[in-house]
Amino acid sequence: MSAARYGVGVSTFNSVPPGAGISDVARLAGVSQGTVSNVLNHPERVATATRDRVRQAISALAYVPNGAARSLAAGGSRSIGLILSDLENSLFVDIARGAERAAAEAGMSLLLANSDGRLESEDRYLDLFAESRVLSTLLTLNDDQHFRQIVGRVADSRSLVLLNFQVDPAEYCSVDGHNERGGYLATRHLIDIGRRRLVFVGGPDSLRPVSERHRGFSAALAESGLTAAADVTPDWINRSDGWRVGTGLVEAIAAGRIDGIVAASDLLAAGMLQAFATLGRVRVPHDVAIVGYDNNQAAWDSPVPISTIGQPGEEMGYRGARLAMEELVEGDAHQHRAVVLEPTLIVRESTVS
Amino acid sequence: MSAARYGVGVSTFNSVPPGAGISDVARLAGVSQGTVSNVLNHPERVATATRDRVRQAISALAYVPNGAARSLAAGGSRSIGLILSDLENSLFVDIARGAERAAAEAGMSLLLANSDGRLESEDRYLDLFAESRVLSTLLTLNDDQHFRQIVGRVADSRSLVLLNFQVDPAEYCSVDGHNERGGYLATRHLIDIGRRRLVFVGGPDSLRPVSERHRGFSAALAESGLTAAADVTPDWINRSDGWRVGTGLVEAIAAGRIDGIVAASDLLAAGMLQAFATLGRVRVPHDVAIVGYDNNQAAWDSPVPISTIGQPGEEMGYRGARLAMEELVEGDAHQHRAVVLEPTLIVRESTVS
DNA sequence: TCGACGAAATGGATCGTTTCACTCAGGAGC
DNA sequence: GCTCCTGAGTGAAACGATCCATTTCGTCGA
């Protein structure tokens, strides 16, 4: 978090005509400012009659409390920030929904931002949130490098909770899906339906969740005395990477050297499926069974609905926000925690017809 | 916008330990507060040497300006708010991206909120944004009723721009896709490829965009001297509605009474496609050609990629934010405008094989 | 009748900035 | 040598709430 952004150009916007302030309300209701403030924030301290009078004045003047003044005087906002790394991915939308629910329950509000996975945006929003004095920031992450860079700059003690990324509880709180178990479940499922020549189609090892899923894959194989039929590492985990990889695998599948694929993401799986469908030499699940990961829209929208590992996105968001709040309440006594959520296997037609 | 939300329960969070303030920086750099403020906001007013000294002090203390105090003193924030009605729909994600770009270009920031299409959430966030004194709010809308309810409560003069919804420029600025033209384009395309027995699968008429698309459909038919083969009005425009409708249409299609469908949304189209695939009596596009609307992920992820009408979502967000800013700059001289963007036909395999 | 008490309301200090009227050097022009 | 500028920096008054120590007042018990 850089200490400041210098030289913000100041263009000239006409500011909003100031509406009624708390003092106007107080005058109209014939009470002091303090009383109006109490009606707003501690209604129980104010006698019913007074309260009603004040409320009437409030509506009459269409008074809207000034959040800035409130935060300043109260020494902090009542909101938490959430920086999402990919709004296209429905997992993150679920996370947002869960976090918002937790915030609403606690009477707080949630500020959203979309970093599109770009380090500089993550940075910018971290700054912005710091300036807004949000009580806490939730940050979704999937890249080890980003993690290192970011935490290097988070100098202040404001609380930070990482989502979709597990870190040493000595450093931060985090909420993550159990990626290793997910990889295991996917692989186990393929083995259970009789597949033996399995491949893990992953992505760069810098993507932490991917490498963890890979570990689960290997564990399941080892457990059954199998070894991987091949190892495939696309550049990234998007649909187009799946397409490329899929094209490259057709030969091996047609030749019977591969009969099951664990993909590190649904997009990857969907891309492969498209490649297979286009090239036409491989039928799913007959010739090869595929399991994806994340339970994205892409998974059930696919030509052949894709079996996948469901991540509890909403719960991830909810737990993350709760964790942030606990951290606030407990203060120095707080011990960071790494919450790990269980993934679930969702069987669709890409593995059993 | 209700004047206030009463009785917000106040739970007790430990507030963030206050960091260095502007006066600490000033002291360390040996200048006045005013000068520090100038370094931050009007660097050109400060001599280079002084400027550097101040900046050093800023990093040394890890000073982060307090946004609340800033907004309070400056009489307004430098952000605009955007309330999205459906994060699952990629159109809205595009809108967010466009709005953010416009904001960033102007040195402003964008506050996001997801209303999930619920009136009460739209309301709550409108309130929240009003308290945050955002300069302007962008609101995506698709329902006539919501529109009426909302504007009834927006009492203050703060600027509001409506997205994905066209209104009388006497009332508000708005940016919308040209839905009638979109409906026309879709229908024209079907006619051009030789289909004659066409159906519009819509949704409740309260959904403004839907009824407009329907108008375009009718216009295209009339132009070619055709009449609609049937009229279908599902309860809503989601995948499940498509499924239901699709099931109901199979008979007519198989009998050759329908050979082309214009769907009011891609989800609707995708649902129908799924129904057809499952029931197995109808082939797309051989027996029936389908055009969707929105160019969602669902459209290209579908078993048969769906021809669709693309909405310029990113541009919609960008133009909306620009409009909001113009409104701010022009002040009273401002004339509301209704920007209407051209949709484009995207041909995929659901209409031509 | 008086004092004590508690609930209700008061009013001013406070939060951390921005803004603006001002002071102050020092250089240019006459 | 005098005035007049100009660019750089100062310092205190807002901004609009919250907070809290204090005052007011009605009631109750003795």
Side-chain angles (χ1 to χ4, degrees):
Chain A
M1 215 170 296
S2 69
R5 286 166 297 152
Y6 304 117
V8 177
V10 172
S11 34
T12 140
F13 290 110
N14 299 315
S15 53
V16 180
I22 203 173
S23 59
D24 301 308
V25 174
R27 201 172 319 122
L28 181 58
V31 298
S32 73
Q33 297 189 20
T35 300
V36 176
S37 171
N38 278 334
V39 170
L40 257 22
N41 304 301
H42 308 276
E44 76 285 358
R45 296 188 192 160
V46 180
T48 323
T50 317
R51 199 154 59 203
D52 290 343
R53 203 146 31 90
V54 170
R55 287 184 175 165
Q56 249 164 18
I58 286 177
S59 334
L61 296 173
Y63 164 70
V64 179
N66 183 322
R70 171 177 290 193
S71 304
L72 181 57
S77 69
R78 290 195 53 74
S79 35
I80 59 182
L82 170 58
I83 303 177
L84 262 7
S85 52
D86 184 7
L87 272 183
E88 310 274 355
N89 186 330
S90 49
L91 171 64
F92 292 95
V93 176
D94 288 341
I95 290 180
R97 196 167 285 130
E100 202 192 316
R101 184 160 52 87
E105 283 176 7
M108 310 183 41
S109 41
L110 183 71
L111 263 43
L112 272 186
N114 174 25
S115 72
D116 261 333
R118 290 188 311 263
L119 184 56
E120 81 258 23
S121 293
E122 288 166 352
D123 230 45
R124 232 189 60 229
Y125 280 113
L126 240 21
D127 268 2
L128 178 64
F129 285 166
E131 285 191 20
S132 306
R133 297 291 191 270
V134 294
L135 289 170
S136 185
T137 302
L138 311 181
L139 177 65
T140 66
L141 222 48
N142 31 44
D143 192 306
D144 257 326
Q145 279 183 293
H146 283 212
F147 172 65
R148 281 297 142 213
Q149 297 237 27
I150 294 267
V151 300
R153 334 179 94 228
V154 176
D156 65 19
S157 54
R158 229 165 300 274
S159 92
L160 182 65
V161 174
L162 299 171
L163 300 183
N164 199 34
F165 198 79
Q166 184 181 348
V167 300
D168 181 349
E171 303 190 86
Y172 293 100
C173 278
S174 62
V175 185
D176 194 13
H178 198 311
N179 286 299
E180 182 165 347
R181 177 114 70 236
Y184 175 87
L185 282 178
T187 314
R188 188 74 242 163
H189 171 56
L190 290 178
I191 296 174
D192 286 346
I193 60 173
R195 307 298 169 129
R196 291 293 178 272
R197 291 178 288 279
L198 306 183
V199 185
F200 181 81
V201 176
D205 259 352
S206 64
L207 287 181
R208 182 89 73 85
V210 170
S211 54
E212 292 170 356
R213 290 164 198 180
H214 196 173
R215 244 198 333 271
F217 171 79
S218 307
L221 284 189
E223 191 181 280
S224 301
L226 299 170
T227 53
D231 236 358
V232 182
T233 305
D235 296 336
W236 204 245
I237 56 170
N238 283 331
R239 180 179 302 265
S240 54
D241 305 293
W243 174 280
R244 257 189 303 277
V245 169
T247 308
L249 288 177
V250 164
E251 197 58 46
I253 297 170
R257 291 198 302 276
I258 294 175
D259 65 2
I261 300 177
V262 174
S265 81
D266 284 335
L267 286 176
L268 216 40
M272 286 191 273
L273 243 60
Q274 262 179 349
F276 297 157
T278 307
L279 299 176
R281 295 181 50 203
V282 166
R283 287 160 302 162
V284 176
H286 185 269
D287 303 319
V288 67
I290 303 188
V291 185
Y293 212 110
D294 279 348
N295 193 23
N296 271 350
Q297 233 181 13
W300 39 273
D301 267 348
S302 171
V304 177
I306 302 173
S307 294
T308 192
I309 302 297
Q311 297 243 57
E314 169 139 12
E315 189 178 357
M316 205 181 280
Y318 186 83
R319 297 288 291 271
R322 300 292 314 174
L323 231 41
M325 294 177 201
E326 284 170 25
E327 190 163 344
L328 292 170
V329 171
E330 296 171 6
D332 289 336
H334 176 79
Q335 299 269 8
H336 290 312
R337 237 170 314 154
V339 172
V340 177
L341 302 176
E342 286 304 315
T344 48
L345 172 70
I346 299 170
V347 176
R348 299 207 182 91
E349 293 156 40
S350 70
T351 54
V352 299
S353 50
Chain B
M1 218 170 296
S2 70
R5 287 166 297 151
Y6 303 116
V8 176
V10 171
S11 32
T12 141
F13 291 109
N14 299 315
S15 52
V16 180
I22 204 172
S23 60
D24 301 308
V25 175
R27 201 173 317 122
L28 181 59
V31 297
S32 71
Q33 297 189 21
T35 301
V36 177
S37 170
N38 278 336
V39 170
L40 256 22
N41 304 302
H42 308 276
E44 76 284 357
R45 295 188 193 160
V46 180
T48 323
T50 317
R51 200 155 57 202
D52 290 344
R53 203 146 30 90
V54 170
R55 287 184 175 164
Q56 249 164 19
I58 286 177
S59 340
L61 296 174
Y63 164 69
V64 178
N66 182 322
R70 170 176 288 191
S71 302
L72 180 56
S77 69
R78 289 196 53 73
S79 35
I80 59 183
L82 169 58
I83 304 178
L84 263 6
S85 52
D86 184 7
L87 272 183
E88 310 273 355
N89 185 331
S90 49
L91 171 63
F92 293 94
V93 176
D94 288 342
I95 290 180
R97 196 169 284 131
E100 201 192 317
R101 184 160 53 87
E105 282 176 9
M108 310 182 42
S109 40
L110 184 70
L111 264 43
L112 271 187
N114 175 25
S115 72
D116 260 334
R118 291 188 310 264
L119 183 56
E120 82 258 22
S121 292
E122 287 166 353
D123 231 45
R124 230 189 60 230
Y125 280 114
L126 240 21
D127 268 3
L128 177 65
F129 285 166
E131 285 189 21
S132 306
R133 296 291 191 270
V134 294
L135 289 170
S136 184
T137 302
L138 311 181
L139 178 65
T140 66
L141 221 49
N142 31 45
D143 192 306
D144 256 325
Q145 279 182 294
H146 282 212
F147 172 64
R148 280 298 142 212
Q149 297 238 27
I150 295 265
V151 300
R153 335 179 93 228
V154 175
D156 65 19
S157 54
R158 229 165 299 273
S159 92
L160 182 66
V161 174
L162 299 171
L163 300 182
N164 199 34
F165 198 79
Q166 185 180 349
V167 299
D168 182 350
E171 303 189 85
Y172 292 100
C173 277
S174 62
V175 185
D176 194 13
H178 198 312
N179 285 299
E180 181 166 347
R181 177 113 70 236
Y184 175 88
L185 282 178
T187 314
R188 189 73 241 164
H189 172 56
L190 290 178
I191 296 173
D192 285 347
I193 60 172
R195 308 298 167 129
R196 291 293 176 272
R197 291 177 289 280
L198 307 182
V199 186
F200 180 81
V201 175
D205 260 352
S206 64
L207 287 180
R208 182 89 74 84
V210 171
S211 55
E212 291 170 357
R213 290 165 196 178
H214 195 173
R215 250 204 323 276
F217 171 80
S218 306
L221 285 189
E223 192 181 280
S224 301
L226 299 171
T227 51
D231 237 356
V232 182
T233 305
D235 295 335
W236 204 245
I237 57 169
N238 283 331
R239 181 179 301 266
S240 53
D241 305 294
W243 174 279
R244 257 189 303 277
V245 169
T247 308
L249 288 176
V250 164
E251 196 58 46
I253 298 170
R257 292 197 302 275
I258 294 175
D259 65 0
I261 299 177
V262 175
S265 81
D266 284 335
L267 286 177
L268 215 41
M272 287 190 274
L273 243 59
Q274 263 178 349
F276 297 158
T278 307
L279 300 176
R281 296 180 50 201
V282 165
R283 286 159 304 161
V284 176
H286 185 270
D287 302 318
V288 67
I290 303 189
V291 185
Y293 211 111
D294 278 348
N295 193 24
N296 272 350
Q297 232 180 14
W300 40 273
D301 267 347
S302 171
V304 178
I306 302 174
S307 294
T308 190
I309 301 298
Q311 297 244 56
E314 168 141 10
E315 189 178 357
M316 204 181 281
Y318 186 83
R319 296 289 291 272
R322 299 291 314 172
L323 231 40
M325 294 177 201
E326 283 170 27
E327 190 163 344
L328 292 171
V329 171
E330 297 170 5
D332 289 336
H334 176 80
Q335 299 269 9
H336 289 313
R337 237 170 316 155
V339 173
V340 178
L341 302 176
E342 287 303 315
T344 49
L345 172 70
I346 298 170
V347 177
R348 298 207 182 92
E349 294 157 40
S350 69
T351 55
V352 300
S353 49

